[in-house]
Structure formats: structure tokens, C-alpha cells
Amino acid sequence: MDKFQNKYRISSHRKPNWDYSFDGIYFITLAIQDRKCILGEIIDDRMVLSDYGLIVKTEWEKSFHIRNELFLDEYVIMPNHIHGIIFLEKPNNIGGNVETHGRVSLRGRVSLPHRRPKSISSFVAGFKSRVNTVVNNYIDDNLLDIPKYNKYNRFFQPNYYDHIIQNAQSLKNIRNYIVNNPLNWKKDELF
């Protein structure tokens, strides 16, 4: 492991040599810091959202209305994480095709060391930032005696999981996994 600011950290989860600003179909998972179950609970195999969960749902869906390069497929909010399939499709994208399926061509290109505009990482950063703002406003509006969220007290874990979906069978399997996630909550690794 590499050291960063005298602390150990794990290597990046991102796929080496992949440019996340190019068209593709992505399965992402964002987890709540320390995996706290604050987004709701599973009751009778159904997810019932808490106020925080409703904020996350609203901001998640809103994200796809304000970004014309992103399209939301299947998603689910769980007690301590969110899973989603995202199509990234920008006009005039160039690069080598990996495989064509459905609405977008998957393209590969060498990654650059910074967050690119209209990329999966810029979407995730913007979404997390917006959720922090709205949750902090909720804390203020309801006079809650709890600390606000910031870079020292995070709402979401700083990293996220992603998987590049490369064929129809994988897309079908991941959609099925998302739809059935509440039914399988007690078997989930994030439980």
C-alpha cells in the first residue's frame, strides 16, 4: 500500500487505463460512512426510506434531470448504500470501441490523473456534495443536535465502487441484483 499524508490507503478501485468520461454503462455503489443504516430500513422485504433516504432519492433522481449526458437505468436505495446503473452518453465522444450494446458504445482510453468534466467521478462528487448540502440544511431546519456533514464528518464514504458493464448478460444480471437487493438484504455484504 502507498502512503498518503502519513496514512495508509488502498489503491484505486478504478479500472486502469479506462477514461470514465467516455461513453459507457456503469454499475456504481455509494456507501454511507461507516456503513451506518441511516437511509431507511427493510420492512417485509421492501425498502422504507427515512428522511435522509428521501433526500438521497430526490437528489439522485434530480441529478439525471440536470445532466444531459447521463441516463438512469435501474437503482435501489438500501439502508446504508445506493446501487445504480448509469448510462454515460455524450455527443461527439471519440475513442476506440470496446463493444457495442444497446444505447451506447463502450470506449476505452488512457485515464488522466484528474477528475474530468461530465465523467462518472464528477457526477459522483457533485451528487455527494449536493446531498451533504441538503442534509445539512435538513439538520438546521429541524434544529437537530447532531454534527453537520463535511470533509471530517462524511455522509458517504469517500470512495465508491464501480463496474463497467460490457455486455447484455452482465446488464441483465446487475439489473436483477438491484431489483432483488431488498429481498436479499440479510445476505448483502453491506448488511
Side-chain angles (χ1 to χ4, degrees):
M1 288 189 198
D2 299 325
K3 275 192 172 181
F4 177 73
Q5 295 181 351
N6 287 330
K7 293 182 181 179
Y8 286 100
R9 66 179 183 163
I10 59 174
S11 300
S12 174
H13 293 107
R14 307 294 79 83
K15 182 178 179 178
N17 302 320
W18 183 266
D19 185 336
Y20 285 83
S21 69
F22 274 81
D23 293 355
I25 307 169
Y26 300 89
F27 170 53
I28 66 169
T29 299
L30 307 172
I32 297 300
Q33 184 68 29
D34 300 324
R35 297 184 179 178
K36 293 178 183 172
C37 293
I38 61 174
L39 300 179
E41 59 184 314
I42 303 294
I43 299 174
D44 296 328
D45 296 329
R46 270 188 54 242
M47 180 62 190
V48 178
L49 298 174
S50 67
D51 289 344
Y52 287 157
L54 291 170
I55 290 169
V56 167
K57 179 183 189 324
T58 298
E59 296 308 319
W60 179 259
E61 291 175 353
K62 199 182 293 183
S63 294
F64 297 93
H65 292 290
I66 64 173
R67 292 174 178 88
N68 63 5
E69 73 279 5
L70 295 177
F71 303 92
L72 179 60
D73 194 80
E74 201 66 60
Y75 81 96
V76 66
I77 297 172
M78 297 296 289
N80 61 5
H81 64 282
I82 181 171
H83 291 301
I85 297 172
I86 298 171
F87 286 72
L88 174 62
E89 184 178 272
K90 296 186 297 190
N92 302 321
N93 245 342
I94 57 172
N97 286 348
V98 174
E99 180 179 328
T100 301
H101 165 72
R103 298 174 46 186
V104 298
S105 295
L106 300 174
R107 301 175 189 270
R109 185 174 157 183
V110 176
S111 294
L112 299 176
H114 62 281
R115 185 179 300 133
R116 297 184 52 126
K118 297 189 178 203
S119 66
I120 294 299
S121 60
S122 66
F123 157 72
V124 169
F127 169 72
K128 287 180 177 183
S129 176
R130 179 65 185 156
V131 168
N132 279 357
T133 299
V134 176
V135 166
N136 285 340
N137 290 342
Y138 174 86
I139 290 169
D140 286 344
D141 293 347
N142 290 283
L143 305 172
L144 300 179
D145 189 22
I146 60 174
K148 289 188 180 182
Y149 293 97
N150 55 46
K151 67 180 182 177
Y152 305 107
N153 179 36
R154 299 176 190 274
F155 188 83
F156 287 105
Q157 290 182 359
N159 213 338
Y160 63 96
Y161 169 82
D162 72 78
H163 171 77
I164 301 161
I165 300 172
Q166 297 192 27
N167 60 56
Q169 186 60 48
S170 179
L171 180 60
K172 180 180 175 184
N173 292 345
I174 293 169
R175 281 179 176 151
N176 188 49
Y177 172 79
I178 289 172
V179 167
N180 290 309
N181 210 229
L183 296 170
N184 297 314
W185 172 235
K186 292 188 178 172
K187 297 181 227 171
D188 195 298
E189 67 183 48
L190 296 175
F191 174 68

